[in-house]
Amino acid sequence: MKSITTAILLVLSLSAFSQVQFQFDQGIEVTQNGSSLPRAFEGGLNSAQFQSMDLNGDGQPDLVIFHRISRSISTYLNLNNQWVFSPEYQNQFPEDVFNWLILKDFDCDGKKDLFTSTALGIKVYRNGSLGETLSWELASEFLTWDAGSNIQVAATDIPGIADVNGDGAMDILTYRFGSAGSVDYYQNEGTCGNLTFTRVTRSWGDFFDCGCNDFSFGQPCPTSGGFSNLVSEPSEQEEILHAGGKTILPFDVDNDGDIDIITSDELCENLYFLRNDGNSSQALMTSFELYPTSEPVNFQFFPSAFLEDINFDGVLDLIMSTNIDNNAGNLVNFKSQIAAFLNATNNQVPSFGNSAAFLQNEMIDVGEDAFPTFYDYDQDGDLDLFIGNTGTQMNGAFTGTIWLYENTGNQFTPSFELIETDFGNISALGYSHIKPQFADLNSDGHIDLVFQAKVGALDSRVFLKPGDGNSNFGNITDLNFEASEASSPFVYDLNKDGLPDVLIGQQFGNLIAYFNEGNSTFSEETAFGGFSDDFTKQNLSVTIGQFDSNSNPQLLSIDSEGKLTLHTDQADEHFQKSEINQNLMLFNEELFQSNFGRANSLTAADLHGDGVSSIMIGTSKGGLYFLRNVSGDGSVENELRVSISPNPSSNLIRVLANTNGMLDVIDLNGRVIEESIPIQHSVVTELQFGSISSGVYLLRIKAEDGRKVTKKIIIQP
């Protein structure tokens, strides 16, 4: 028998805390197409709106990204001219940011304030932050003009907020509510800090948006076509018929003292630039052009533009994203829908160059939605990462796939490499919304692929593809479980009878348990554990793990409120969601609630061999967050941990331990087969058993400090 050693670094995360707590962790190396992904677990980007403000009080503009689809915020600090993912700030924003987010300093105190959407129009928060902690005070529940009428902004729109007339106070430009053709101009009646407005005109700039690549100047759109030809007050019915979302990005592109705009429409592919040929008091647009002129944007739907300095050269760059709130017609490729155009000149007369990727290309991003799970598919003893997605356009059809990231590290120090984007050729089924799980559901001794999929417009099902023991899977069987597009399955043996059961979190908060009774039969229990329908807690996803080394397995959930919730009752067939804990996120030695947005998928696994389960969160943005479990009381520090794989094996056994010491191989009669094989902390020791008779053997590991542990291995013929 011979042994081969390969050095692998082992990093153990220890904590003096005893309460369950998680931290964002970017320490796992991920490679994709031969390149490292330094932002692998930053959650993805979909329908992103880019803004800037000083988050930590150092006087430098930091990056704030509002994701319209997920209704969540990502925050990045500007540190040494690098964008550093800093999620501790994203929870410090108001929870009621919807549809759009604009950061502008309306009270001239040097701190940007927050404007966002409300059913009543525009809501405003004043920035009262001090130091590194954000603080917001409601400045206006909704903005009004003149006699108290609301400044109405369609939920699909992004208005323009800027000093239009040059008096130092923030004014508002927004496409006319109920009539998409012209722009309302609400002029601020005061100075800095004022939020009272008067409506100066309903056709600012004297132009009308009549359709894609179609503007009318000086007169309304023709009656025979266009989005709108309204020149009078819209009727109640007409106010409902807002013809697609609109965006307005105001800026003085030619440094002549008046506001020009970049605008877009939900139904169109291009950005449009309209130069102001008038002045600050009387805007006049007479023509339009596609923008940027050097490389006009061509998105499938609803391009939106933002101006921020993203390369730290002091001038504003142009960042592009789609602004849709759902994938209309399943035509948008969310895997690559962020583009940046760097400014090669200055802010007075900008010149935007060719497009380049920004942030998203450095993340795991499978497109629309990510549904992660773990399974050791190559049987090397560590967990590999699988990610299902809603789908992408493939060969003219919108099809979901499963991405496989193989764990090229080990049980203590994981690292992942993208191996394929269509594991098991699941795309051949033509289904979407693929949500995978792996378990021996049919009790044949082989791991099966269990997955939920959308097979029709209102038809989602849970299927079984039986495994053959070599990570190949057979024909699908419909398990006849209740499922919908928004439900999420999780496989776990609740009653410890050796038969994996299936939990399915439902669209409206109900949790259904399907208890495996063998022979492909299941008994159903609705409202399992007390999870019943609750329309405030939709899109329920659950996972079960050993979140505290001193407790039994527990259930962790997330729903449309975006808050991780740990249920302290033991996760078994008698589970009840009685006591909960939502203060689970550790930032600067303090615990906070989370806010991950409205649609996420959970899975838990002990990726670092430290005896507790960490969490992988799949987001509606197509990306992942990895939350390292930093719980525990330090007891794992002195625990002798040994990993053996594969086991059983016909020849090769890999041994990995968190200690230096010696290893003996002993048969069941106590005879020493091989002794004093040196092992090293975090070094894989490979043992070859080719010349040893099949049977059961013992591996006895003795650490240098005298600790001992014995493991059983099976050598097959």
Side-chain angles (χ1 to χ4, degrees):
M1 181 173 60
K2 60 181 180 179
S3 64
I4 303 172
T5 61
T6 304
I8 300 178
L9 176 64
L10 169 63
V11 179
L12 298 179
S13 176
L14 304 176
S15 174
F17 301 99
S18 58
Q19 182 176 346
V20 175
Q21 48 203 317
F22 301 96
Q23 283 183 330
F24 285 90
D25 192 322
Q26 301 292 321
I28 298 178
E29 182 182 3
V30 178
T31 56
Q32 186 167 304
N33 301 323
S35 300
S36 177
L37 295 183
R39 304 182 183 277
F41 300 108
E42 293 182 6
L45 291 172
N46 277 7
S47 294
Q49 301 175 15
F50 296 85
Q51 300 287 307
S52 67
M53 65 174 289
D54 183 4
L55 293 170
N56 60 351
D58 66 353
Q60 297 295 318
D62 305 304
L63 188 63
V64 178
I65 305 174
F66 174 67
H67 307 273
R68 184 182 179 197
I69 290 179
S70 67
R71 296 179 184 171
S72 63
I73 290 174
S74 300
T75 48
Y76 291 80
L77 288 181
N78 174 355
L79 299 178
N80 299 318
N81 289 342
Q82 296 290 328
W83 293 121
V84 178
F85 182 57
S86 304
E88 62 268 30
Y89 295 98
Q90 64 192 43
N91 289 350
Q92 299 180 32
F93 282 80
E95 291 188 354
D96 57 348
V97 176
F98 298 108
N99 296 322
W100 52 267
L101 167 69
I102 295 175
L103 298 172
K104 292 284 186 178
D105 181 11
F106 81 85
D107 54 5
C108 300
D109 64 354
K111 294 179 288 190
K112 287 190 177 181
D113 308 296
L114 189 155
F115 296 75
T116 189
S117 173
T118 171
L120 300 173
I122 300 176
K123 178 179 285 191
V124 184
Y125 285 93
R126 188 188 307 271
N127 186 346
S129 305
L130 296 174
E132 295 188 27
T133 302
L134 299 182
S135 175
W136 305 97
E137 173 191 355
L138 183 63
S140 178
E141 186 70 43
F142 56 92
L143 296 180
T144 61
W145 61 279
D146 288 354
S149 299
N150 297 11
I151 297 179
Q152 295 176 304
V153 178
T156 52
D157 292 6
I158 300 179
I161 298 177
D163 178 11
V164 174
N165 62 352
D167 64 357
M170 288 296 160
D171 309 303
I172 298 172
L173 299 172
T174 180
Y175 275 96
R176 186 173 172 181
F177 188 82
S179 164
S182 62
V183 172
D184 287 337
Y185 170 37
Y186 296 93
Q187 181 175 295
N188 198 316
E189 293 182 318
T191 56
C192 278
N194 186 62
L195 289 174
T196 57
F197 299 86
T198 185
R199 190 169 69 191
V200 175
T201 177
R202 308 224 69 182
S203 55
W204 180 84
D206 200 19
F207 73 93
F208 298 82
D209 183 356
C210 303
C212 299
N213 298 311
D214 186 11
F215 289 84
S216 177
F217 299 95
Q219 60 183 352
C221 300
T223 305
S224 59
F227 289 133
S228 174
N229 65 336
L230 296 175
V231 293
S232 60
E233 291 296 316
S235 67
E236 181 178 350
Q237 180 180 8
E238 288 167 334
E239 287 189 351
I240 299 173
L241 301 177
H242 187 81
K246 304 276 189 184
T247 70
I248 295 176
L249 177 63
F251 75 120
D252 184 1
V253 72
D254 47 13
N255 196 33
D256 63 353
D258 55 39
I259 292 295
D260 313 295
I261 66 169
I262 298 173
T263 185
S264 67
D265 186 274
E266 183 175 8
L267 306 178
C268 306
E269 300 177 349
N270 304 116
L271 283 180
Y272 308 109
F273 172 67
L274 285 81
R275 187 183 304 276
N276 189 346
D277 293 326
N279 52 51
S280 60
S281 59
Q282 188 67 43
L284 178 63
M285 275 64 173
T286 58
S287 64
F288 77 96
E289 59 185 270
L290 303 184
Y291 207 74
T293 54
S294 61
E295 184 185 344
V297 169
N298 187 356
F299 278 23
Q300 291 102 322
F301 288 101
F302 208 179
S304 56
F306 306 91
L307 285 170
E308 301 294 345
D309 176 16
I310 62 171
N311 63 345
F312 313 102
D313 63 356
V315 297
L316 297 176
D317 307 299
L318 184 69
I319 313 114
M320 292 297 311
S321 174
T322 182
N323 194 49
I324 60 174
D325 62 356
N326 63 81
N327 196 349
N330 295 323
L331 297 176
V332 176
N333 178 14
F334 278 116
K335 288 189 298 183
S336 57
Q337 53 91 59
I338 306 296
F341 300 80
L342 298 183
N343 188 344
T345 53
N346 52 50
N347 290 332
Q348 287 70 42
V349 185
S351 175
F352 299 113
N354 294 333
S355 64
F358 180 55
L359 296 182
Q360 187 179 31
N361 61 310
E362 299 179 318
M363 302 179 188
I364 290 178
D365 196 320
V366 300
E368 185 178 358
D369 298 309
F371 308 107
T373 192
F374 291 99
Y375 160 54
D376 182 10
Y377 93 103
D378 51 6
Q379 301 180 42
D380 63 352
D382 52 39
L383 294 173
D384 306 295
L385 172 63
F386 294 80
I387 312 171
N389 66 9
T390 286
T392 54
Q393 288 290 334
M394 298 177 62
N395 301 318
F398 185 74
T399 305
T401 60
I402 299 175
W403 293 38
L404 164 60
Y405 287 83
E406 180 183 340
N407 190 341
T408 55
N410 57 48
Q411 299 91 323
F412 298 146
T413 308
S415 60
F416 296 103
E417 179 181 359
L418 178 64
I419 301 300
E420 57 180 304
T421 60
D422 190 14
F423 178 78
N425 194 31
I426 205 76
S427 67
L429 298 172
Y431 299 158
S432 63
H433 296 75
I434 307 297
K435 305 178 183 182
Q437 296 279 290
F438 292 91
D440 181 11
L441 208 64
N442 59 7
S443 303
D444 65 353
H446 302 310
I447 297 297
D448 310 310
L449 171 59
V450 183
F451 69 99
Q452 181 179 305
K454 182 179 178 182
V455 302
L458 297 174
D459 188 359
S460 293
R461 306 180 189 182
V462 180
F463 297 102
L464 169 72
K465 284 176 71 72
D468 64 358
N470 295 308
S471 295
N472 299 310
F473 302 94
N475 296 327
I476 64 171
T477 299
D478 189 342
L479 295 173
N480 295 312
F481 294 162
E482 182 178 338
S484 68
E485 179 180 322
S487 61
S488 296
F490 178 72
V491 179
Y492 183 80
D493 185 2
L494 286 166
N495 52 13
K496 303 303 179 188
D497 62 356
L499 301 174
D501 309 304
V502 182
L503 292 168
I504 302 182
Q506 298 294 323
Q507 178 177 1
F508 298 115
N510 183 18
L511 182 62
I512 301 178
Y514 290 92
F515 287 96
N516 191 339
E517 298 180 344
N519 300 316
S520 300
T521 61
F522 295 84
S523 62
E524 176 181 339
E525 181 179 338
T526 62
F528 176 74
F531 282 94
S532 56
D533 285 347
D534 184 343
F535 289 93
T536 67
K537 299 179 184 297
Q538 301 183 38
N539 304 104
L540 176 65
S541 178
V542 303
T543 190
I544 294 174
Q546 189 76 35
F547 299 113
D548 185 340
S549 59
N550 298 318
S551 68
N552 294 309
Q554 296 172 317
L555 185 145
L556 190 76
S557 67
I558 196 168
D559 54 41
S560 56
E561 289 187 335
K563 293 181 174 59
L564 284 174
T565 302
L566 180 66
H567 303 267
T568 57
D569 193 22
Q570 180 174 335
D572 57 21
E573 72 271 32
H574 305 298
F575 164 80
Q576 290 294 318
K577 63 164 196 165
S578 52
E579 297 183 14
I580 65 171
N581 179 13
Q582 290 185 324
N583 293 320
L584 300 171
M585 299 303 304
L586 185 65
F587 298 118
N588 300 320
E589 307 302 323
E590 294 186 41
L591 289 170
F592 299 89
Q593 293 183 351
S594 61
N595 185 6
F596 288 103
R598 60 178 174 172
N600 300 279
S601 178
L602 294 179
T603 193
D606 181 2
L607 289 181
H608 293 83
D610 49 15
V612 290
S613 300
S614 296
I615 307 169
M616 197 71 79
I617 300 180
T619 75
S620 61
K621 299 171 289 184
L624 302 178
Y625 293 119
F626 176 60
L627 303 185
R628 180 76 181 268
N629 190 333
V630 292
S631 310
D633 55 7
S635 61
V636 297
E637 182 176 7
N638 295 317
E639 179 184 344
L640 179 54
R641 284 173 284 154
V642 177
S643 172
I644 297 173
S645 66
N647 189 18
S649 174
S650 60
N651 183 11
L652 177 68
I653 293 284
R654 300 182 184 90
V655 181
L656 182 66
N658 65 335
T659 185
N660 295 328
M662 295 291 178
L663 180 151
D664 300 331
V665 181
I666 305 168
D667 67 17
L668 292 183
N669 295 319
R671 184 169 62 95
V672 176
I673 305 300
E674 188 81 15
E675 64 180 334
S676 300
I677 301 171
I679 60 173
Q680 298 179 33
H681 189 292
S682 75
V683 174
V684 173
T685 300
E686 293 189 351
L687 307 177
Q688 301 284 347
F689 287 84
S691 60
I692 302 297
S693 300
S694 59
V696 178
Y697 294 86
L698 302 177
L699 297 186
R700 183 172 61 196
I701 295 94
K702 182 178 180 180
E704 289 181 345
D705 60 8
R707 291 174 298 158
K708 297 179 182 179
V709 66
T710 300
K711 298 287 187 178
K712 182 174 67 175
I713 62 171
I714 300 174
I715 303 302
Q716 297 175 328

